[in-house]
Amino acid sequence: MEVEYNIAGRILAKEGSRVISLAEILASPEAGSGATCAADLSEDVLSAYCKAVSAQNACKVYLWKDREEYGNANVFNGGSDYEVVNEVCFLCIYDSGCEVLRERTNCWNEKIDAVVSYNV
């Protein structure tokens, strides 16, 4: 079984929106020196990073981590499909350093879709 992590975010500042990359999060003080990949970043670390960036920029910041487990599913007539069999999605939103939302869902959190294509 393979596990895939996706971590991304977006800063929604008055000057314009900007994507937050995994490399940027890993290089931050909140991630600590032991974090080298997405799997190393806990929800608490991501929330701390989101809060810090939000306070620093005095704006709304979205940050999400999606964990997908791939495996065999939907076996019919001796065949199989290799697809996502388990998913956990974490989303946190801070506005000027104040927590707006912090939640975990067992599927893709559709609240993220509105932010992915957001342009200020």
Side-chain angles (χ1 to χ4, degrees):
M1 189 171 304
E2 294 179 39
V3 178
E4 181 180 306
Y5 292 92
N6 296 299
I7 295 180
R10 189 171 294 269
I11 299 171
L12 304 178
K14 291 178 184 172
E15 305 80 45
S17 75
R18 182 175 74 77
V19 173
I20 299 170
S21 69
L22 174 59
E24 184 178 343
I25 298 167
L26 288 170
S28 73
E30 291 80 17
S33 60
T36 59
C37 64
D40 295 337
L41 297 171
S42 69
E43 293 174 4
D44 290 336
V45 167
L46 294 174
S47 289
Y49 176 82
C50 189
K51 180 179 182 176
V53 171
S54 174
Q56 179 184 18
N57 292 289
C59 67
K60 190 174 276 189
V61 176
Y62 286 69
L63 194 62
W64 57 89
K65 177 179 183 179
D66 186 47
R67 180 185 187 276
E68 297 176 329
E69 291 180 18
Y70 287 84
N72 290 329
N74 301 326
V75 178
F76 298 104
N77 299 326
S80 68
D81 292 331
Y82 196 68
E83 61 184 38
V84 176
V85 294
N86 188 31
E87 183 173 21
V88 176
C89 189
F90 171 72
L91 169 65
C92 63
I93 305 169
Y94 281 82
D95 192 356
S96 300
C98 297
E99 185 178 296
V100 174
L101 177 81
R102 180 178 167 160
E103 66 184 14
R104 180 194 293 188
T105 55
N106 62 355
C107 59
W108 176 254
N109 193 326
E110 296 192 7
K111 294 174 187 169
I112 299 168
D113 291 337
V115 180
V116 170
S117 61
Y118 182 85
N119 291 316
V120 175

